[in-house]
Structures are given as structure tokens and as C-alpha cells.
Amino acid sequence: MAVSSPDLKAFLLATPFFGGLSDTSLDLLLSMLVERRVQAGQIVVAEGDPGRSMFVVHSGELEVRRQGHSGELIHTADLGPGDFFGEMTLIQMQNRSATVTATTPAVLYELTAKNLYAYYKADMPAYIIVLQNVNRELCRRLRRADERVAELLHQLRQ
């Protein structure tokens, strides 16, 4: 179902994905979101599956895991309210890079590639802001990953 509520609007404005949008632009994007409720243990997206949408976490906790070279699942991140995931498939148009599983019941808001394209057609300046927000978050994640790799390499050399 599509969503709209003042509380949700305030919540979304405080997340990295929606920052800087005008009320009108945010209302349009809000009208394109679909609420998804998931139970603890439910897989939201699976590594390798086609991805045509991204999700914003409104409530609950989720874990991100990737399959290692030897087949084991490696925990890479925890997600909670305000986090978003799945955006890479919208930018890169490739399959899901990880599996995301709810560790508690969660409420997510889904934005499909089709709706993001409609947003682009309807409000290009706001679309650019959204892409800048996504890029900023991807850069933050890359910096954290670089720090972890550097720390692991440091530990291996000792």
C-alpha cells in the first residue's frame, strides 16, 4: 500500500536518503513508497537475485550477509531505523550483492526502479538530490569498508 503520514514524513526527512527535499518533492516520493512488513527470520532480499527496488528501514533490525568464497555466510552489517539498502541495484542494474534478513519484526518502505524513474520524469531537481544522498551514503560505506580492510591488513602483518 502507498503511504502518507506526517510522522512518517518527519522520520524520512531525518534519514540520509530523503534529506534536502522540499515538502512537495517529498510528498511525491512518499506517494511512491510501498509499506512492507516482515517477520523475524524473513529474508527480504537474497544475494544473487535480480533487484529492482530499494528499502528504507522504518522500524526493526536486519542483518546483511554475503557468501564467502568457501560458501560460508559472512555477516557484514546490521541495519536499523533510518538505514536504507538495495540502492546499488537501482544504480548498477545488477543482481543483489548480499542477503538481508530481518532479525526482528520490521517495517520497511520500498521504492521500485519504476517509481524512481517516474520521480525522475516528474521532478528532476529532486531526483538529483536523491541520487546525491545515495552517493554520499555509498561513499560513507566505502570509507568504513576501507578502514576495516586497513585494520585487517594491519592485524595480519603483526
Side-chain angles (χ1 to χ4, degrees):
M1 80 179 142
V3 295
S4 178
S5 102
D7 290 340
L8 178 60
K9 189 174 178 178
F11 170 79
L12 292 176
L13 272 175
T15 68
F17 184 78
F18 296 93
L21 294 176
S22 70
D23 270 356
T24 304
S25 296
L26 182 60
D27 287 340
L28 176 59
L29 195 54
L30 249 159
S31 73
M32 297 176 173
L33 297 177
V34 176
E35 183 179 282
R36 303 283 185 214
R37 293 181 177 268
V38 296
Q39 300 304 311
Q42 185 176 341
I43 293 174
V44 180
V45 299
E47 183 176 353
D49 284 355
R52 302 296 177 255
S53 64
M54 61 160 292
F55 299 84
V56 178
V57 181
H58 185 255
S59 64
E61 302 293 326
L62 301 100
E63 71 174 345
V64 181
R65 294 178 298 161
R66 290 189 55 123
Q67 189 167 6
H69 291 292
S70 60
E72 79 281 12
L73 290 178
I74 301 167
H75 180 271
T76 60
D78 292 308
L79 302 172
D83 291 328
F84 58 89
F85 63 94
E87 73 289 341
M88 289 185 352
T89 64
L90 297 183
I91 295 169
Q92 208 176 24
M93 303 304 257
Q94 292 191 11
N95 291 345
R96 300 284 185 190
S97 65
T99 297
V100 178
T101 305
T103 54
T104 68
V107 176
L108 312 172
Y109 289 97
E110 182 178 21
L111 179 64
T112 65
K114 181 180 176 181
N115 283 342
L116 186 60
Y117 181 71
Y119 192 62
Y120 159 77
K121 303 264 298 175
D123 191 346
M124 190 180 297
Y127 173 81
I128 292 168
I129 289 171
V130 167
L131 287 186
Q132 287 176 323
N133 290 341
V134 167
N135 287 331
R136 280 187 198 98
E137 181 62 22
L138 290 173
C139 287
R140 281 191 284 271
R141 292 176 188 176
L142 182 58
R143 284 182 188 276
R144 284 193 304 266
D146 286 347
E147 289 169 6
R148 285 186 271 189
V149 167
E151 181 61 31
L152 287 170
L153 288 172
H154 177 74
Q155 289 173 5
L156 286 172
R157 290 182 182 140
Q158 290 183 348

